[in-house]
Amino acid sequence: MTLAFLGGLGDALQFIVTKSEGPGGAQVGGSQLLPLLREHLLITLVSVAIATAIALPLGTWLGHTKRGSFLVISVTNAGRAIPSIGVVFLFFAALGAGFFNITLALVLLAIPPILLNAYTGVRAVDPEAVDAARGMGLTGAQILRQVELPLALPLVFGGVKTSTVNVLATATLGPAAGVVTLGDPIINPSSYGDAGRLGAAIVVAALAIAAEVGLSAVQRKLTPEGLRLSERAASRRRLLSISKRRIAPTS
Amino acid sequence: MSASLVLAQAGGGFFRDRSKVDSCVANNGFCPDWIVHHLDRYVSPFWQHLFLVVVSVGLGFVISFALALAAHRRRRLVGPITQVTGILYTIPSLAFFFLLLPITGRGNTTALIALTAYTLLILFRNIVDGLDGVPEEARDAGRGMGLTDRQLLWRVELPLALPVIIAGLRVAATTTVGLAALATFAGAGGLGDQMASQKEFISNIAVGGGLCVLMAVGLDGLLLVAQRLLTPWTRVRTA
């Protein structure tokens, strides 16, 4: 199969599907990409799992007690302002190359979105639902587990989704710090050539979009039936442009 | 590495001795003396970084504003625009740069296109949300005063939506500062370029990363001040 008529893009696609000899002399592309893909997915999975184990309990607990908004906002802002490349290079400079060291950097990058969404998700649960649960005699822990968490689940999972997509993107920097991920053809084009670099960019982009689309589908599945119904009703109202007018003054 | 950290913790006085500074630098440690004497090499990357951020957020705002106004009139457009900008937002910046490279080549153009694309989702969503949040009574009052749709938009809806719009600009600006650090891979310089040039050297990474954070905080503060100045009525209510 030759895709030469597509020019540079054809070469890149060819790189993705078939193995060939790269400019460095080694075999690159095609099945040779699989170990890179494996490493890429592994470091993403491990980092997001660790970050979730830390940020999810903390965020839900803070949201349940309605405390620590300052902490959550600070962590979120810091997470946005600190460049990912800075964190990866800092861990590389301080701890050296290695899977574990870069995982730590990615964990730090994955924490803020999970923390923020767990916090806001639980905090934004309808207080009337919580009141009703309390009136039924549920304890704090039961309210958190049986009412707040299920209702907050779509938002909570949204945080995990955001972090996963972010980490998938940042893991591309891995080869700059000694972890051979799918970013290798991008960071070290001398052994892969231009076709390899473009090919890897296409694979990384496709991977991120697939993760976003797939996890969004999971997120919809996780939305409780009741919430889904009320959302549908709201969007139908909007479609029929029967905007519910607030008659009472808003302030 | 631990030796260099101990040296760094020993503080500035320790480094009066020239050889100690040299050994700290040789160990790629955190060396305050080295930083003080080499700040000048971060000046031009800093301005280039700021240029990338300001131009891409500015361009992104103009595009999102036009899209949001269109979607405000035709609600049907909100879904498709959100999906397209969402996909652009999802593509990892590093991959985005190299996807553009065959078309636009190395340099500012590639970096600016990618960075602008990232701001679209955030800005579009916030402008639409802001306009949606305008109380219906305010619109009614405006219409009652005889305002045309156009006047209503500029005199009533946009001013009331301003806090949400500026909140979007703040998120877009801080996010873009972080992403612009990757512009080095597009050959567009910036602080990321400086960091990547000596990525084993903790002092270098700390100064480069620190300047990014400073820039993000500075831009965030500027936008907050702009919001206070542009929406004096919100202050009256809180005072």
Side-chain angles (χ1 to χ4, degrees), chain A residues 35-53 88 98-111 114 159-175 179-183 203-204 207-212 215, chain B residues 90 92:
Chain A
L36 309 189
L37 176 67
R38 203 187 128 267
E39 192 83 341
H40 202 110
L41 293 178
L42 187 69
I43 201 166
T44 304
L45 210 67
V46 173
S47 316
V48 174
I50 298 176
T52 307
V88 171
F99 186 88
F100 180 71
N101 302 344
I102 306 312
T103 302
L104 280 182
L106 295 178
V107 167
L108 278 190
L109 293 170
I111 284 178
I114 302 177
V160 179
K161 177 180 80 176
T162 307
S163 283
T164 309
V165 176
N166 281 352
V167 171
L168 267 180
T170 311
T172 315
L173 279 172
V179 183
V180 186
T181 61
L182 279 173
V203 174
V204 169
L207 199 61
I209 292 172
E212 168 80 26
L215 292 175
Chain B
T90 306

Side-chain angles (χ1 to χ4, degrees), chain A residues 119-154:
Chain A
Y119 176 80
T120 45
V122 172
R123 226 197 139 142
V125 167
D126 189 352
E128 285 175 28
V130 176
D131 271 354
R134 196 166 289 131
M136 287 168 67
L138 267 64
T139 65
Q142 282 174 322
I143 291 175
L144 181 61
R145 207 154 4 96
Q146 298 175 12
V147 180
E148 289 179 322
L149 266 183
L151 288 176
L153 200 58

Side-chain angles (χ1 to χ4, degrees), chain A residues 80-83 85-86 89-90 92-94 165 169 172-173 176 186-187 197-198 201-202 204-205 208-209 212 245-246, chain B residues 1 87 90-92 94-95 98-99 101-102 136-137 140 171 174-175 178 181-182 185 195-196 199-200 202 205 212-213 216:
Chain A
R80 250 186 227 125
I82 299 172
I85 188 177
F89 283 167
L90 191 67
F92 172 68
V165 176
T172 315
L173 279 172
I186 296 176
I187 310 265
R197 194 162 62 175
L198 185 57
I202 293 171
V204 169
I209 292 172
E212 168 80 26
R245 290 204 177 175
R246 276 167 294 176
Chain B
M1 154 262 153
I87 289 173
T90 306
I91 300 175
L94 213 51
F98 290 103
L99 290 175
L101 220 53
E136 199 55 45
E137 302 89 62
D140 277 351
V171 173
T174 36
T175 311
L182 291 166
F185 291 101
M195 285 194 266
K199 62 184 184 199
E200 312 78 14
I202 292 188
I205 302 298
C212 284
V213 175

Side-chain angles (χ1 to χ4, degrees), chain B residues 30 66 135 160 237:
Chain B
F30 184 76
L160 287 175
R237 200 182 293 162

Side-chain angles (χ1 to χ4, degrees), chain A residues 62-85:
Chain A
L62 289 175
H64 175 68
T65 55
K66 308 214 188 298
R67 275 188 301 188
S69 68
F70 179 74
L71 173 79
V72 176
I73 291 168
S74 311
V75 169
T76 310
N77 285 340
R80 250 186 227 125
I82 299 172
S84 54
I85 188 177

Side-chain angles (χ1 to χ4, degrees), chain B residues 194-211:
Chain B
Q194 190 61 35
M195 285 194 266
S197 67
Q198 278 179 295
K199 62 184 184 199
E200 312 78 14
F201 190 16
I202 292 188
S203 306
N204 176 47
I205 302 298
V207 177
L211 286 172

